[in-house]
Amino acid sequence: MVPSDHVTPVDGTQEKLLSHLRGLDRYQLEEFKLGLQCPELLPKSAQKMPWADLKAASPADLLALLMEYFPGGQLWDVTLQIFENMGLTSLCEELTAEGSEMAREPQQPSQEEPETPSEQWDPRRACRERLKARILAMWDNMPWPEGHIYLRHVTEQEHEDLMHLLSPGRTGTQPRTIVLHGAAGVGKTTLARKVVMHWVEGSLFRDSFSYVFYLSCHQLRDMEDTTFAGLLSQDWPTSRAPVRYFMSHPERLLFVIDGFEEMNVPSDGDDNGPPCPDWYQQLPVAQILLCLLKKDLVPAATLLITTRDDPSKDLRKVLRNPRWIRILGFTEADREEYFFRYFGDRHKASDISWWVRENEVLCHSCAAPLVCWTVCTCLKRQRTRRPTFQLSAQTATGLYTCFFSSLLEVAEASWSKPSWPQQWRALCALAASGMWSSRSTFSREDVERWHLQVPLIDGLLQLNVLQKVSDCEDCITFAHQSFQAFLGAMFYVLGGQEGAVGGLSKCQEMRVLLNDAFVDANVYWHQMTLFSFGLMNRHLAREVEATLHCEMSPDIIDALLKWAEELPTSGILSCSFEFLPFFRCLYETQEETLVKQMLSHLPEADLDLGDLQLQVTSFCLKQCQRLSQLRLSVNCLAPQKESTSGWGTPERQSLLQVFSSPFLLNRQTYQEVCQWENICSVFHNGHLSKLDLSNSKLSATFMKKLCYELRNPRCKLQKLTCRSMTPVRVLRELVQVLHGNRRLTHLNLSSNSLGAAVSTMIFRTLRHSACHLKYLCLEKCNLSAASSEGLAVTLTGTRRLSRLCLGFNQLRDDGVQWLCASLRQLDSALERLVLCGCQLSAPSCRDLSDALLQNASLTHLDLRKNTLGDEGVRLLCQALSRPDCRLQSLDVSDCSVTAKGCRELADALRHNHSMKVLDIGRNQVGDAGGRRLCEAVRRSCCALNTLGLERCGLTSACCRHLALVLGSRESLVNLNLIGNDLGPEGVNVLWESLEKPACKLQKLGLEKDLYDIVKEKLKALQEKGCFLRILCKWDFNDLEDTWWW
């Protein structure tokens, strides 16, 4: 590169060109340099300039480079081509004129860079000015309700946060797709517009992007078909946009796509649609936007997308490597500051903030500033009407009902006309239809279609229920999505049969709504569903009828009850049902009789409880009188500092008595105590048989209360799971349950680091005569060989424990020696023992072999994931080969066994008449080992019905031996061959035997590619009555064991 202090000799024409280069501002100069990197603007034979030379070049350096790379007339032509692509029309005309007047006297070059001539048109500057005017117009036209307080301004911290939007991620690369997602009204659009404004003003991303495009999805939705180039040019200051520059420098483009949820964009993300369009192909706008999102059009461009939380699943299918940033809106401190600024009373603001915090729905909704305004407006008007008013609106529906009622009380008298009920129903129908189509913005045609009158629309605009859309003429929108959701819910509780969409009745649409919200887990419907339930409250219904002069429909309650009655038989409860949102909706009614009716058939519930879910859950669970299964993960009653003085005996007093000291009981604790007692009441409803408390964090006091209720004579609990409890010491409270509940037979304490104190206490309790435990799972409990001694004493002292799981504890050979000593007792009742992953080796097998010969009750032994080796298998087979060995199931998968070990197992099977299940998977036994086992299984004395050979290194050569087994042994019903390289040839050999009538195989494990080969044959076989199933994932555990391990 020519050094900057070097003066290149120039003639008059080149000197004039240098003057023009110096007249470019720094952004134009950068764009000119980028043009020199674009092959479409250069001669075909031109040599590419190094970007390192161009990047730091001054105007004089740049001229020197131009003269070096483009000699003669090429210099002038290239410069003119790039200026034309930049849209510098007046400068191009001037250069053309100068080129035709070569004899003209050149002007002296200025020693300083002149200002860009005012008459020169700069496309980037014009774009920035036009974009700035557009964004400012949107903000100026955005109506804010009277009394609304805007807390946040553009601060240094906010600017810092915006800069981090494009900061490199974990991989060190700058993200090219950023998604701002969050609830409605929390500031996503505001943040996106601030990004645009900061770029326009030059304080953000100016060096990263040459052009920024702001695409409003609710505007795009109603656009006619266009081209991508036309879409980018529609808001251009002139009719001529520098499309060629856009195409050649996509990395310099930023697209801000605001309000994705407003667009009906295909979301399958597959390639079945039209091919990727070029920039000038006429297409629907939704298709163009999809190609933009998928990076088919401009792969190197940067996308900044805003969307609500609910439709983000659709985006995930389309976007490539997006960075998701959740916009949280107001924090708790922001809410309290808002309330203080509104009411001017810090104590009052604190009370309101606490009340909102205790209401889960309002707590989340108040992240949106406009909802805070709604809360304040409602409370202010209630206090005006009743000076002694207390915070009585217990639910979000109650608050919104009060809000709309108070607004309409001050509305114009003309609203009381006879046509008002019809107008109100029409408004609710508009809101509901918009919810179904994911629309919150409505055109004049939408308003006219529902026959809404101008006075009503103007009145609602004045009351800030509706707003005019700042960038869409004659369009209106609901001031906040919650207003639309409330009015949409109102549509379904008002009289009338016709639905909002057409084709279905209101009750039918409500059923679809409920299934979508609770079965398909579509959070988009949660708020509208919540309001629908809340309006079932009798007091609120009367208030609505009095204010709106509309009658509520009784049919909706019947529809809800019928839907709830069908839940147990529909099969959806055990797979994907959203219990917590369902309980929130029931709590919203505040009608215990209705809730009891709806929950009267509920057989199970699955709940994760945080700080805000305890109240809702306690309200509903105490109404679940027929609940038989409950999974309850509690994370809101974590251990605190607890004083033990003066508590007395928990069995003889309630938690309220325990916390009676004013030093121990505050408002929050009092509520938690009451709510926990309501939850515990379900344990003795007479039907609950299974309880899972896994992953719960409970203090000792709340655990004591739970265990006390589990001892209630009416408690029918049989199976209790307490995996991963925090803190582990609370498990000591289970002692009173094991002593006092004669029906409890199953206990799962896996994934708890029990320690010596807790494990010793539990082992001692198992020996108690009042303990009737039969199944005990202690997997991953950090037990050691030393722990085994205490457990061995327990097994010796109890005659009831029939199943014991000790998997993934470091028992080692010494620990197993202690266990086997107790198993040798003739009166041992243990039937199933799991010792997987216990770091055992061959010596353990000698002790186990002796125990198997002396213990007639032990029928199932799981030794997988131990390094037993062939020697360990040989020692086990000493017992297996004896006729008096009663073992029926043996799992030695992943135990370092080879073909030699298979030979020992095969010899043992020739003498064993009781073995039914053998799993030797994940051992490299090869075809030789597989052949040995097949020969043994074919013998008439073998009773094996399940054989596991997953990932055993088998090939097609072994399939002939397997086929002989399948064709001759009717007892074999399960065979796992997943992970073996059998090949198409081997599968076809197997299939010849599978088609024979003598083959009784019901379950076959194969790799998916091999399954695809015989898929059609399997269908034909099943049509003939065959029960064979082919699985690509295997589970040996039978239904009886799945509750355990």
Side-chain angles (χ1 to χ4, degrees), residues 428-446:
C428 294
L430 174 73
S433 64
M435 293 293 293
W436 282 106
S437 58
S438 300
R439 298 183 63 174
S440 59
T441 303
F442 303 94
S443 64
R444 178 187 296 176
E445 291 74 18
D446 295 324

Side-chain angles (χ1 to χ4, degrees), residues 12 181 191 258 325 336 405 433 485 751 776-777 785 791:
H181 66 108
L191 189 62
D258 188 23
I325 300 176
E336 187 161 342
S405 299
S433 64
S751 299
L776 177 62
C777 183
L791 185 56

Side-chain angles (χ1 to χ4, degrees), residues 116-134:
T116 303
S118 59
E119 67 274 5
Q120 180 174 303
W121 187 77
D122 176 1
R124 288 205 300 177
R125 181 178 299 148
C127 171
R128 293 194 298 268
E129 291 174 354
R130 180 65 175 263
L131 195 55
K132 181 177 181 179
R134 181 184 173 193

Side-chain angles (χ1 to χ4, degrees), residues 212-239:
V212 173
F213 301 92
Y214 180 81
L215 304 178
S216 174
C217 285
H218 78 79
Q219 282 186 320
L220 299 180
R221 183 183 58 197
D222 298 324
M223 281 185 60
E224 297 180 354
D225 293 1
T226 184
T227 65
F228 184 54
L231 182 64
L232 301 186
S233 303
Q234 65 168 342
D235 199 37
W236 201 252
T238 67
S239 60

